[in-house]
Amino acid sequence: MELLLAIAIGVLVAGGLYLVLRAQTFSVVLGLVLLSYATNLFLFASGGLARNRPALIAAGPPYTDPLPQALVLTAIVIGFAMTAFVVVLALRARAELGSEHVDETGATLDDESPDDADKEEDR
Amino acid sequence: MNHLLLAPLLIPLAAGALLLIAERTSLRLRRSVSLIALAILLDVSLQLVALAGQGEIQVYLVGDWPAPFGIVLVLDRLAALLVALTSVLALATMAYALQGGDRDGPLFHALFQFQLLGLNGAFLTGDLFNLFVFFEILLIASYGLLLHGGGRQRTRAGLHYVVLNLIGSSLFLIAIGILYAVTGTLNMADLGRVLATLDPADAALAEAGALLLLGVFALKAAVLPLHFWLPHAYGHAAAPVAALFAIMTKVGVYAIVRVFGLFGHGDGPLAGVAGPWLAGAALATMAAGTVGAMASRDLRQKVAYLVMVSVGTLLIAVGLDSTAGLTGALFYLVHTTLVTGALFLLADLIAHGRPRAALISSDDERPAGSGPLAVLFFIAAIAVVGMPPLSGLIGKLLILDAARTTPWAPWIWTTVLLSGLLILVSMTRAGSDLFWRGGVSESCKAPAPRRLVPALLLLAASPALVIFGGPMSEFARATAVQTRDTAGYIEAVLGEAPASARIPREVP
């Protein structure tokens, strides 16, 4: 089981890294999701792998470490919120910059800063 | 247990929640809630400094769970100093934002409070996983704040910042997993104790976890190979946001000091694991920041690079791994946070009424009545360069003095002094281009003097740090001594906890 889990985590990380290094925001977001899955599995494994054992110490000797499960739960919640945020941000970048490229500057972007400042002043 | 330790978390949390509910109410109401919360926070944090100043480490067991099992908040001098520094900076930047910057987005005040919640939590927590959670809170609030005001430049800088930090968070969790697998605990004090007597067979794995953690903290602190996000993010953020972010890189420095200090407890296998990486990376960060600051033609970007230089300076001092070095680092940290915060506000004020915003060029006409602004810029430049008579000098002197007897001395002295000279040249050029050469435009007016007050308040800290230099450096020294006394920290947190207080792990 350890080997299977290790391979699964490795494949997820490899896929995640490949996608994160792509220049398209959509791929980057997918890569981040894969990385966070891999991280969650890794955290889960950090307490040692055990089958058919409750995560309750009161239940008696055959138990498994409950802490990693709590950690994974927290990590999943935080990861979910962050993914939601980055999806919205990627959509906004797509709308504002007119392209999915992560380094997209937009055609007239360099001339934008003075206008920006004027806008701020008007407020 | 002193319940006051919880206040720096509860006040911004309550205010932030209230501001979320009150999103559609009048701006006036939201501003008052925000200001009142900040004022109470400042009062509480000063009380905490007084409490920590008595020399005893205060521990708060959340839910009264005994230490290695439950979550602990730990207040020592270092945590109290940083919480107080955060609330001073927050109050001044909020005062600046109230002049109109907070109108650009409905949730500015709520995000600001959540940002403070994350910062205070990161400084106070005594648990590694909790540190991760508070990092995430301060990050998600900072993502929102960074985009405050909108605009394509901000969106692009924000996208890079968010993606990099999400990868950093994944690495943080992996490092936590490794350390938990090796030690069976995540309480920082308990980690220190367990790592001191670690089985040599596990040392390599623990070292891998620790160095991953160093990478994550270095990303937050913007240390050399991981700094590329900083100039864009800080250079394009709205002024009050950028000023508040002046403390964000210091969170990374704080985490390095705290966590790696405890990892080195009792000369265990992880003692000095960060040292060889820190010294070189810090020098390189400082050099790169200096070059960047000289090359920037935009004042805001220049200040962002100055933040990087200050991180380099701080980590040089931290990397010395001595009480004298840490004393210098703490003194410099207070100085640089407040002064770079003031510089971000000044850069925004200078940009007002100029045809090409904060672009440094003598071709542009400056608005009429820029005199007071020029004086403030002059003072800030002197402070940030480290010229007498302001506080940058004392901070740098303390650091250089601490480095004198170490083998790194020639490198540190050369880099710090040369960087100071080059920044002096660069700031002089910027000042003369902005305020001296070029004509005066009669059609636009410089910001009214009352708008300079927040920046002035932040800058006033610099002469104050010189006038009260004795007590301040004494406090910094006491803080450094207490921070380096890891045995005292561990005893304060764990008390008489039994040595084998962990879940016996059964290998299937």
Side-chain angles (χ1 to χ4, degrees):
Chain A
M1 193 157 65
E2 275 83 0
L3 188 68
L4 187 66
L5 192 68
I7 292 174
I9 295 174
V11 169
L12 280 175
V13 170
L17 269 185
Y18 174 76
L19 286 172
V20 163
L21 292 176
R22 306 267 303 191
Q24 306 289 322
T25 44
F26 184 64
S27 318
V28 171
V29 172
L30 279 185
L32 286 173
V33 172
L34 287 187
L35 273 184
S36 79
Y37 286 170
T39 313
N40 291 341
L41 284 176
F42 185 88
L43 262 188
F44 184 67
S46 69
L49 294 174
R51 292 173 74 174
N52 281 335
R53 291 192 185 164
L56 284 172
I57 293 178
Y63 52 76
T64 181
D65 191 344
L67 191 73
Q69 313 198 4
L71 298 187
V72 170
L73 217 55
T74 316
I76 289 173
V77 173
I78 293 178
F80 183 70
M82 293 294 178
T83 308
F85 183 85
V86 80
V87 167
V88 172
L89 182 60
L91 280 174
R92 180 163 159 180
R94 170 82 180 76
E96 283 189 2
L97 303 174
S99 157
E100 256 198 89
H101 194 280
V102 288
D103 273 333
E104 183 58 57
T105 50
T108 57
L109 202 63
D110 289 338
D111 309 325
E112 198 200 26
S113 11
D115 302 343
D116 245 7
D118 289 345
K119 217 168 51 195
E120 273 168 32
E121 204 179 22
D122 292 343
R123 287 198 181 101
Chain B
M1 269 201 310
N2 192 333
H3 290 283
L4 197 63
L5 263 68
L6 218 49
L9 307 185
L10 288 184
I11 295 165
L13 181 63
L18 207 61
L19 287 164
L20 271 186
I21 300 170
E23 186 200 334
R24 291 179 196 284
T25 57
S26 71
L27 188 63
R28 211 187 152 88
L29 182 72
R30 277 180 284 147
R31 283 176 167 179
S32 349
V33 171
S34 205
L35 259 188
I36 291 170
L38 284 178
I40 301 175
L41 189 63
L42 182 65
D43 180 47
V44 165
S45 63
L46 291 180
Q47 284 183 44
L48 288 179
V49 170
L51 188 66
Q54 293 166 5
E56 207 173 312
I57 296 178
Q58 305 280 331
V59 178
Y60 185 86
L61 306 173
V62 179
D64 211 11
W65 286 86
F69 302 113
I71 291 169
V72 286
L73 300 178
V74 187
L75 178 88
D76 59 356
R77 287 167 190 267
L78 180 60
L81 177 70
L82 286 163
V83 169
L85 183 63
T86 308
S87 31
V88 171
L89 184 69
L91 199 58
T93 50
M94 180 53 82
Y96 186 83
L98 290 185
Q99 296 173 352
D102 60 339
R103 289 174 199 271
D104 295 346
L107 288 175
F108 176 79
H109 289 287
L111 287 170
F112 199 89
Q113 298 291 339
F114 288 128
Q115 173 89 59
L116 293 180
L117 166 68
L119 286 166
N120 288 342
F123 292 139
L124 283 172
T125 186
D127 183 281
L128 200 56
F129 194 79
N130 223 225
L131 183 67
F132 164 76
V133 173
F134 281 120
F135 264 37
E136 292 305 299
I137 293 176
L138 78 86
L139 282 175
I140 199 153
S142 76
Y143 301 157
L145 282 177
L146 183 58
L147 296 170
H148 174 70
R152 279 182 287 188
Q153 295 266 23
R154 274 181 199 145
T155 306
R156 191 165 74 99
L159 190 66
H160 294 179
Y161 176 72
V162 172
V163 169
L164 267 175
N165 275 299
L166 285 180
I167 296 170
S169 302
S170 292
L171 289 178
F172 199 163
L173 280 176
I174 291 173
I176 285 176
I178 294 174
L179 286 170
Y180 183 74
V182 174
T183 63
T185 182
L186 286 175
N187 182 298
M188 296 201 285
D190 206 21
L191 266 174
R193 190 178 64 174
V194 174
L195 287 172
T197 55
L198 191 69
D199 184 4
D202 285 337
L205 199 54
E207 199 170 319
L211 286 179
L212 260 179
L213 216 48
L214 182 67
V216 176
F217 295 154
L219 173 70
K220 311 281 182 225
V223 177
L224 182 63
L226 305 168
H227 71 279
F228 292 100
W229 58 271
L230 185 133
H232 279 293
Y234 282 37
H236 293 307
V241 175
L244 182 66
F245 280 9
I247 191 104
M248 291 262 288
T249 45
K250 279 66 180 186
V251 179
V253 176
Y254 161 81
I256 290 175
V257 171
R258 172 73 84 213
V259 173
F260 285 87
L262 284 166
F263 281 1
H265 170 67
D267 287 327
L270 284 195
V273 66
W277 300 94
L278 268 187
L283 286 171
T285 306
M286 194 167 187
T290 309
V291 173
M294 290 197 74
S296 307
R297 291 192 63 216
D298 185 285
L299 188 58
R300 284 178 285 202
Q301 198 130 42
K302 199 189 274 290
V303 181
Y305 276 109
L306 290 179
V307 170
M308 217 179 123
V309 174
S310 77
V311 167
T313 318
L314 284 173
L315 286 179
I316 285 174
V318 169
L320 294 174
D321 200 18
S322 66
T323 307
L326 196 53
T327 307
L330 290 171
F331 191 96
Y332 193 75
L333 190 145
V334 176
H335 148 82
T336 189
T337 307
L338 296 175
V339 170
T340 42
L343 264 173
F344 275 121
L345 299 184
L346 282 179
D348 191 52
L349 289 168
I350 290 171
H352 276 278
R354 278 178 194 270
R356 285 182 290 173
L359 195 77
I360 301 166
S361 160
S362 56
D363 299 340
D364 293 342
E365 293 185 322
R366 62 178 179 276
S370 292
L373 203 51
V375 172
L376 278 192
F377 180 80
F378 182 64
I379 297 172
I382 288 180
V384 84
V385 172
M387 296 263 288
L390 295 181
S391 56
L393 174 80
I394 300 181
K396 279 193 179 172
L397 273 184
L398 284 171
I399 292 171
L400 290 179
D401 188 45
R404 208 176 39 184
T405 50
T406 61
W408 284 89
W411 292 97
I412 292 176
W413 277 62
T414 314
T415 315
V416 171
L417 292 177
L418 204 58
S419 149
L421 175 67
L422 293 178
I423 292 172
L424 174 68
V425 172
S426 143
M427 291 304 270
T428 311
R429 279 203 54 140
S432 63
D433 273 352
L434 287 169
F435 295 113
W436 208 330
R437 300 161 67 192
V440 179
S441 151
E442 293 303 333
S443 55
C444 38
K445 283 258 189 291
R450 65 180 168 77
R451 297 202 55 192
L452 309 183
V453 173
L456 181 67
L457 285 179
L458 284 177
L459 272 185
S462 190
L465 278 175
V466 177
I467 295 167
F468 301 103
M472 184 58 214
S473 55
E474 191 47 44
F475 188 85
R477 204 191 55 80
T479 308
V481 169
Q482 192 186 43
T483 308
R484 287 176 56 79
D485 176 21
T486 47
Y489 182 92
I490 290 170
E491 207 201 309
V493 175
L494 297 180
E496 304 296 315
S500 61
R502 50 193 45 85
I503 300 164
R505 189 163 306 161
E506 295 184 41
V507 179

